[in-house]
Amino acid sequence: MAKEKTVYVCSNCGQDSPKWVGKCPSCGEWNTYVEEIVRKEPTNRRPVSGIETQKPKPLALSDIEADDEPRINMHDDELNRVLGGGLVPGSLVLIGGEPGIGKSTLVMQTVLHMPEKKILYVSGEESARQLKLRADRLSDTSSDCLIVCETSLEQIYVHIKNTNPDLVIIDSIQTISTESIESSPGSIAQVRECSASILRFAKETHTPVLLIGHINKEGSIAGPKVLEHIVDTVLQFEGDQHYMYRILRSIKNRFGSTAELGIYEMRQDGLRQVNNPSELLLSQDHEGMSGVAIASAIEGIRPFLIETQALVSSAVYGNPQRSATGFDLRRMNMLLAVLEKRVGFKLAQKDVFLNIAGGLKVNDPAIDLPVISAILSSNMDAAIEPEVCMAGEIGLSGEIRPVNRIEQRIGEAEKLGFKRFLLPKYNLQGIDTTKLKIELVPVRKVEEAFRALFG
């Protein structure tokens, strides 16, 4: 007989303890332990998947075959790029995002464009009729995707055994439960046990599995952090619901780069891939407006131009406000300190608001120069010429440090018709300027950049 017992589990990292503790010894968070009832199974219990596998034997590294497996084409250039070139057979991919952001829409849209694969779509949240209505809204093409509404992990394995699919989609992992644990679906123990079991199934049968996960109010994927450690790839689907852009970002990827970015536009008939984000992220009518600078940024392998907006005004109250949307606030405070100390602009009693247009979050240090240019443009109420683009990292001594892949940044600006490009002086080495139609303005310090922009 199985024995029931009570354990306390950290809701942040999944660490368990036989008694309640105030501070988690693993992650250091306070008051995160919650009580859960678990049932201890006998050690000779058969695996829940019911798949008979041979016990592995130790092999010499030279005896292991490591041929490159052909990746599965998802028929979506943005998704393929973020995954690292396509879906790897036997991989477990987690797609997380806030409610209503479009996770199920993205997955269903992808499924409808893969008629050559047999796909099993397991829905624990929506009925088959709801999925049919969404599929009709997204595409007119018919797909042989198999739909089953099920929340029991054991029954899901029965359906997989009967249908033998090429790809399994589970929407969502928080609704799935196994009979071996008494706690409710969505609890830490259930999420951890179900994910580990699905991972074993994926590796043993070389069947790729897509999991959809929820985001909690803190902004992280619901369930313990161990869920992110179990899966092979974690994709974050993010974006403000008030903006039409959605960004697919790779947080963890065992089969590719985590610096890749996919951009979609939310429309009535689904998500449209944005192959050239620069044209969408630039407003066409900022001529004569102060506080706007165009930055040439790179996310992953793709360069794109973004609009950096700043507003500087006198502080109405005692403490000046500092606010940044899409940019690290601490880095903005550092740049303001550099401006005050090295260049002599008095911004201590000014409110400074910074915004990256389009709802993007950018981590590229090369947009330091556009940020301070936009701030000073707003402070002096002097507009930057609309045909000027720039890139450069700012050091603490006020110097403009070189950035990587400058040729791609210049090429993107030239393609969109910009006439001048401000770049760090060191980056000018090795660039063939004879073939360029854009004027390169090398700058070494912040003062030189301001003289080039404002005269």
Side-chain angles (χ1 to χ4, degrees):
M1 287 292 291
K3 297 180 181 179
E4 290 186 0
K5 70 171 186 175
T6 299
V7 297
Y8 293 87
V9 183
C10 174
S11 59
N12 185 53
C13 68
Q15 178 79 19
D16 54 13
S17 170
K19 61 181 181 179
W20 187 88
V21 290
K23 182 179 181 181
C24 176
S26 177
C27 64
E29 295 292 329
W30 285 90
N31 298 325
T32 55
Y33 272 78
V34 293
E35 182 181 6
E36 287 193 1
I37 299 174
V38 296
R39 186 170 66 188
K40 199 72 174 176
E41 291 290 336
T43 56
N44 60 353
R45 179 176 161 268
R46 293 183 63 189
V48 69
S49 62
I51 298 169
E52 301 295 336
T53 58
Q54 296 179 349
K55 291 190 175 182
K57 298 178 181 178
L59 293 174
L61 192 60
S62 57
D63 296 336
I64 300 174
E65 296 181 2
D67 297 332
D68 289 337
E69 293 190 46
R71 292 183 180 241
I72 300 172
N73 183 11
M74 307 300 285
H75 300 283
D76 184 329
D77 295 338
E78 303 291 307
L79 184 57
N80 280 336
R81 185 193 303 111
V82 176
L83 286 171
L87 189 63
V88 176
S91 62
L92 183 60
V93 179
L94 173 65
I95 300 178
E98 295 178 357
I101 205 71
K103 304 182 297 295
S104 300
T105 301
L106 175 66
V107 172
M108 177 62 75
Q109 183 174 296
T110 304
V111 163
L112 294 175
H113 290 95
M114 300 175 65
E116 74 280 2
K117 298 288 182 185
K118 182 188 283 189
I119 300 172
L120 178 63
Y121 193 113
V122 181
S123 176
E125 296 181 338
E126 297 176 292
S127 66
R129 177 178 170 78
Q130 286 176 292
L131 294 172
K132 173 63 175 172
L133 290 173
R134 176 183 289 141
D136 291 343
R137 176 171 58 86
L138 295 176
S139 175
D140 296 330
T141 59
S142 61
S143 174
D144 294 331
C145 174
L146 303 172
I147 303 291
V148 61
C149 300
E150 185 60 68
T151 57
S152 168
L153 184 64
E154 286 77 14
Q155 274 304 117
I156 290 173
Y157 285 128
V158 172
H159 293 307
I160 290 173
K161 201 169 183 179
N162 291 335
T163 57
N164 193 23
D166 300 318
L167 172 63
V168 178
I169 296 168
I170 296 181
D171 182 8
S172 68
I173 186 61
Q174 275 83 16
T175 62
I176 308 301
S177 61
T178 175
E179 297 172 2
S180 61
I181 296 177
E182 285 295 319
S183 54
S184 60
S187 64
I188 298 158
Q190 285 282 10
V191 169
R192 181 169 51 184
E193 182 66 26
C194 292
S195 301
S197 176
I198 293 169
L199 177 70
R200 288 194 298 270
F201 157 76
K203 299 301 179 189
E204 291 168 0
T205 63
H206 289 276
T207 304
V209 181
L210 285 180
L211 303 179
I212 295 178
H214 296 311
I215 294 288
N216 57 24
K217 59 185 178 183
E218 287 83 19
S220 59
I221 293 175
K225 204 72 176 173
V226 71
L227 177 58
E228 297 183 26
H229 295 306
I230 289 174
V231 300
D232 295 313
T233 305
V234 180
L235 304 181
Q236 184 104 353
F237 203 46
E238 57 190 40
D240 196 325
Q241 293 188 8
H242 303 292
Y243 287 97
M244 58 182 174
Y245 304 118
R246 299 288 186 268
I247 297 168
L248 187 66
R249 198 185 298 270
S250 175
I251 299 176
K252 169 191 175 182
N253 194 352
R254 288 176 178 156
F255 308 109
S257 171
T258 56
E260 292 302 337
L261 194 73
I263 302 180
Y264 295 88
E265 181 186 4
M266 178 62 83
R267 302 169 64 174
Q268 183 67 28
D269 56 349
L271 293 159
R272 185 182 72 85
Q273 303 172 45
V274 179
N275 295 318
N276 188 7
S278 298
E279 296 179 355
L280 292 175
L281 297 174
L282 297 178
S283 65
Q284 305 299 322
D285 53 354
H286 60 80
E287 186 172 355
M289 297 169 57
S290 63
V292 176
I294 306 301
S296 182
I298 282 186
E299 287 281 346
I301 62 172
R302 68 194 310 187
F304 54 88
L305 305 187
I306 53 177
E307 193 175 297
T308 307
Q309 304 171 343
L311 176 64
V312 179
S313 62
S314 299
V316 180
Y317 304 104
N319 294 326
Q321 299 182 62
R322 302 281 189 263
S323 174
T325 303
F327 189 74
D328 187 3
L329 181 60
R330 291 172 296 182
R331 189 161 186 87
M332 187 186 80
N333 288 329
M334 183 204 78
L335 295 175
L336 292 175
V338 170
L339 285 178
E340 186 136 353
K341 180 75 174 178
R342 304 296 181 189
V343 194
F345 286 94
K346 303 299 180 184
L347 299 171
Q349 298 304 315
K350 298 288 184 72
D351 291 338
V352 180
F353 304 97
L354 183 70
N355 178 46
I356 305 297
L360 283 180
K361 293 179 183 174
V362 183
N363 300 316
D364 189 357
I367 71 167
D368 287 353
L369 180 58
V371 165
I372 63 171
S373 300
I375 290 172
L376 288 183
S377 170
S378 177
N379 185 47
M380 299 187 302
D381 202 17
I384 298 174
E385 293 180 19
E387 296 177 342
V388 174
C389 184
M390 61 195 83
E393 181 183 353
I394 305 298
L396 290 180
S397 60
E399 83 277 14
I400 300 180
R401 301 175 59 83
V403 296
N404 63 344
R405 291 156 64 184
I406 191 68
E407 292 92 348
Q408 287 181 266
R409 300 176 193 268
I410 296 171
E412 183 74 9
E414 187 181 23
K415 186 172 69 175
L416 290 173
F418 283 83
K419 299 291 191 296
R420 297 170 69 203
F421 192 98
L422 268 68
L423 76 163
K425 193 170 185 179
Y426 183 82
N427 275 129
L428 201 58
Q429 300 177 5
I431 297 179
D432 185 8
T433 57
T434 57
K435 298 179 181 179
L436 296 176
K437 298 178 182 178
I438 187 171
E439 179 190 354
L440 301 183
V441 183
V443 288
R444 193 172 60 88
K445 301 187 74 175
V446 174
E447 299 95 315
E448 296 178 23
F450 295 154
R451 280 197 295 270
L453 288 173
F454 305 111

